[in-house]
Amino acid sequence: MITPASNLIDQPWIPVAWVEGKSGPPEVGLRELYLRAREIRTLLIEEAPAHSALLRLLYALTARITGLDEAGPGSWGDRREETLEQGHFEPCIELPDGRKAGIDGYFDQWSHRFDLFDGDRPWLQDPRLPDQCDRNSTAGVHKLVMSRAAGNNHSWFGHWSHDNPVLPNLSQAALSLLTWHYWGAPGALSRRAVGQVSHHYAKASPLRAALSYHPQCDNLFATLLAGLTPPEGDVSRQTDLCPWERDDLPDPLKPMPELQGPCSRLTACSQHALYLVPAQDGVHTADAYITWAYDAERIRPQDDYLIWDIGKDGETSPRLARSSRSLWRDIDALLLKQLDDSSPIQPKVMDHAFDVSEYLRVRGLGFEQDASQAANHQYVDSVTPVLLSRVEEDVVSTERPVRQLRQLGELFGERLEQATKEAWLKYTDDKKNDPGAWLDAVTARYWPSAEDEFWSLFRQLTRAEGAVDCGFDFEAACRAFGRHALDAYEAVTGSVTRTPRGAKAVTRAKAIILAALKDPHKAMEQSKAKSAPKKS
């Protein structure tokens, strides 16, 4: 049997980096990825949202292949530990219900649903779209590949001609398809007519504008196991289905099918319907339809890889991706349990990731976008240093310092911004005059130095079990962050201090930073009070 050129199981399309001392092709298919997962260091995907989307797909496939898609039999954690100790994913597993799992067991069963250009059920696509949409008003390949210029979006990695487009290959098309399902824009797309309903407005994809957090180990085998979360006790693989496992295509006039567990939450939350038109060679994509998937109200599911912030109204919302925000500023929300009602809720995956390895990195992957508009701004992709250990319940001496380190860094960043704005206002005496130039300059100076300071102090914390003193000096840390803020402030505002007016404005505003240095505890309480949610 000849494997179709667009079959994602055996055709290479996933860029990977190999563990030192191992070698292989630059791209692999899904089967080879799982067979050689321990030899692969990491996915090598430039586009952060595509990387995050692919990880979610791989988490679902990992759960299916290992049988960890259900809570039992026995302890889910023990079964994951057994897989980890084996050091590889099994080619074939016989499950208690008689179904086949393992790499070959699963992919051989569903190989007909993993073809990107299959005539009946192309992977993660709706083949009804050419009949339901206007064939003369398709999206085109530039709209499909978000890094290309289309509409009002700018071109990111090159210049593209609409008259002579460069057609996406198998890898580019598959990753772009995933990106649309997880990060796609709301608003006007291709008009779709279903029954008596006809319109062209889609809702935002579930991860739109969010920042996603993923545990990362030394190889992909451990990384995928660390990214799993245990299913609820009543979850069944017969009902917790991925889109390609469903017998029928969804009804676009009904609400999105109810999510039954981790696999459907990971793969079946898209608000967009897509269809890729293959080129004559059967490998490249010549055109694309992109439109709405459901006419009913949008559902944003609970996601195990997001930090959930508590708003002033008490409502939860995912932490947004901001290219100007360093990942260390989220560290206490990643490592520590929720402290109070105003503290963010950590990603559920962090409750279980350290059971795979206590020497984890955390990778933040996101897309800075307008949540309610089609504008895309910048990818966000950053990795923490190795987190030597989570803050265990029995290592209580480190929990408070980790919070205080992050809070001190944030505090002096906020005071620096306040002081800079105040100095600019007093110097220019014009409330309409934007202090953006000064703010950009102090931000560029302060946050990188504050990040270095944070990780330096973080590594010095003693994590010995039962230790009473972790070696954290609050006052010294306060002075260190304060010094970084003052250095940035003085470097940017120094040019105007040669005049009496400028010197007066800069000196008076500097007191905002100095007040935090004098009484940091009071300043931190004031900052916390400003951001606390209102009680209903």
Side-chain angles (χ1 to χ4, degrees):
M1 180 179 177
I2 299 176
T3 302
S6 55
N7 186 281
L8 301 176
I9 293 175
D10 293 306
Q11 295 295 344
W13 64 281
I14 303 173
V16 295
W18 297 88
V19 170
E20 186 175 355
K22 303 293 182 179
S23 62
E27 293 182 349
V28 296
L30 287 168
R31 192 189 305 270
E32 185 172 8
L33 181 142
Y34 279 96
L35 287 171
R36 303 187 65 183
R38 198 175 183 89
E39 302 173 49
I40 296 172
R41 179 170 57 84
T42 187
L43 304 177
L44 203 62
I45 300 174
E46 295 179 344
E47 297 84 358
H51 191 162
S52 179
L54 180 57
L55 280 173
R56 281 172 164 77
L57 168 70
L58 296 179
Y59 296 149
L61 292 175
T62 301
R64 286 283 193 258
I65 286 170
T66 57
L68 292 169
D69 51 352
E70 290 186 352
S75 165
W76 183 90
D78 289 345
R79 285 157 51 217
R80 182 172 68 164
E81 181 67 24
E82 290 174 4
T83 302
L84 185 66
E85 291 176 354
Q86 288 173 353
H88 64 274
F89 295 115
E90 292 285 354
C92 191
I93 300 174
E94 183 84 26
L95 297 173
D97 61 3
R99 296 194 179 197
K100 298 288 186 182
I103 301 169
D104 296 331
Y106 185 79
F107 286 137
D108 289 349
Q109 178 185 359
W110 296 105
S111 61
H112 62 297
R113 293 285 176 84
F114 278 85
D115 192 323
L116 202 64
F117 299 133
D118 183 78
D120 296 323
R121 284 288 294 272
W123 183 67
L124 290 182
Q125 297 166 68
D126 194 326
R128 300 169 294 187
L129 297 191
D131 296 326
Q132 296 174 345
C133 299
D134 183 356
R135 298 192 181 210
N136 297 316
S137 183
T138 58
V141 295
H142 292 316
K143 186 78 171 179
L144 172 68
V145 183
M146 288 192 187
S147 59
R148 298 187 183 184
N152 293 325
N153 285 333
H154 59 271
S155 183
W156 290 36
F157 301 121
H159 296 285
W160 312 94
S161 169
H162 288 275
D163 297 326
N164 187 26
V166 177
L167 301 185
N169 61 25
L170 187 68
S171 176
Q172 293 167 333
L175 293 174
S176 296
L177 179 67
L178 283 170
T179 303
W180 265 99
H181 279 310
Y182 290 90
W183 306 87
L189 294 168
S190 296
R191 178 172 293 278
R192 182 183 190 183
V194 182
Q196 301 300 313
V197 176
S198 177
H199 65 84
H200 59 285
Y201 290 101
K203 303 171 184 68
S205 289
L207 297 182
R208 182 75 184 175
L211 184 60
S212 185
Y213 302 85
H214 302 270
Q216 183 169 301
C217 302
D218 292 335
N219 60 71
L220 188 62
F221 171 71
T223 293
L224 293 180
L225 288 175
L228 299 184
T229 57
E232 296 81 0
D234 59 348
V235 168
S236 167
R237 64 177 62 95
Q238 296 180 349
T239 55
D240 179 29
L241 299 177
C242 300
W244 58 86
E245 298 171 336
R246 293 186 173 277
D247 293 333
D248 301 315
L249 293 167
D251 186 342
L253 300 184
K254 293 182 179 179
M256 185 178 74
E258 187 175 350
L259 306 175
Q260 300 291 336
C263 288
S264 55
R265 284 199 300 268
L266 284 164
T267 62
C269 299
S270 177
Q271 297 294 319
H272 292 82
L274 294 93
Y275 179 76
L276 307 185
V277 180
Q280 291 184 348
D281 62 7
V283 178
H284 291 80
T285 299
D287 202 351
Y289 293 84
I290 307 175
T291 186
W292 53 274
Y294 300 104
D295 189 50
E297 184 180 354
R298 172 183 181 242
I299 299 174
R300 184 192 279 276
Q302 190 71 20
D303 190 286
D304 295 340
Y305 306 89
L306 305 181
I307 290 177
W308 294 87
D309 288 320
I310 313 295
K312 292 186 176 181
D313 56 0
E315 295 293 322
T316 60
S317 60
R319 183 157 296 179
L320 300 182
R322 289 169 49 196
S323 55
S324 60
R325 181 183 175 89
S326 301
L327 192 56
W328 68 268
R329 298 169 68 183
D330 298 330
I331 199 69
D332 58 344
L334 289 171
L335 293 182
L336 307 177
K337 300 292 185 182
Q338 189 180 21
L339 185 63
D340 51 43
D341 291 341
S342 65
S343 298
I345 303 171
Q346 74 172 170
K348 183 180 177 182
V349 69
M350 298 308 299
D351 287 339
H352 311 281
F354 286 97
D355 294 334
V356 172
S357 173
E358 289 205 348
Y359 301 90
L360 285 178
R361 294 178 174 86
V362 176
R363 189 160 199 156
L365 296 166
F367 204 170
E368 187 173 348
Q369 303 169 298
D370 286 343
S372 58
Q373 299 182 29
N376 300 323
H377 301 298
Q378 191 164 329
Y379 297 148
V380 178
D381 186 344
S382 57
V383 185
T384 68
V386 172
L387 303 176
L388 298 180
S389 173
R390 60 180 160 183
V391 180
E392 302 277 9
E393 292 180 2
D394 52 0
V395 189
V396 294
S397 60
T398 60
E399 181 172 346
R400 183 176 176 84
V402 169
R403 292 192 191 278
Q404 290 183 329
L405 269 178
R406 198 273 306 166
Q407 290 170 346
L408 284 172
E410 294 279 3
L411 170 65
F412 284 100
E414 293 172 2
R415 289 302 178 101
L416 173 61
E417 180 178 339
Q418 294 172 17
T420 303
K421 288 180 178 179
E422 182 70 14
W424 178 270
L425 176 62
K426 296 300 183 184
Y427 175 63
T428 61
D429 196 24
D430 183 359
K431 293 183 179 180
K432 295 182 179 179
N433 200 331
D434 187 1
W438 273 14
L439 287 175
D440 289 344
V442 295
T443 296
R445 284 171 169 80
Y446 174 74
W447 288 113
S449 60
E451 179 174 12
D452 291 342
E453 189 69 51
F454 174 87
W455 288 120
S456 175
L457 295 173
F458 182 86
R459 293 188 188 96
Q460 295 173 27
L461 297 177
T462 300
R463 291 174 173 79
E465 185 174 341
V468 177
D469 183 6
C470 66
F472 177 61
D473 187 335
F474 178 86
E475 298 299 331
C478 179
R479 291 193 297 271
F481 283 111
R483 186 68 260 168
H484 291 307
L486 288 171
D487 288 345
Y489 180 78
E490 291 165 356
V492 172
T493 61
S495 61
V496 303
T497 58
R498 299 182 183 89
T499 66
R501 179 189 184 91
K504 183 178 180 180
V506 169
T507 301
R508 288 189 173 181
K510 185 178 179 179
I512 296 174
I513 301 174
L514 295 176
L517 268 172
K518 183 178 180 181
D519 193 344
H521 293 288
K522 179 179 179 181
M524 290 165 68
E525 286 299 321
Q526 291 172 340
S527 178
K528 183 179 179 181
K530 288 181 181 179
S531 59
K534 296 179 180 178
K535 293 184 178 181
S536 56

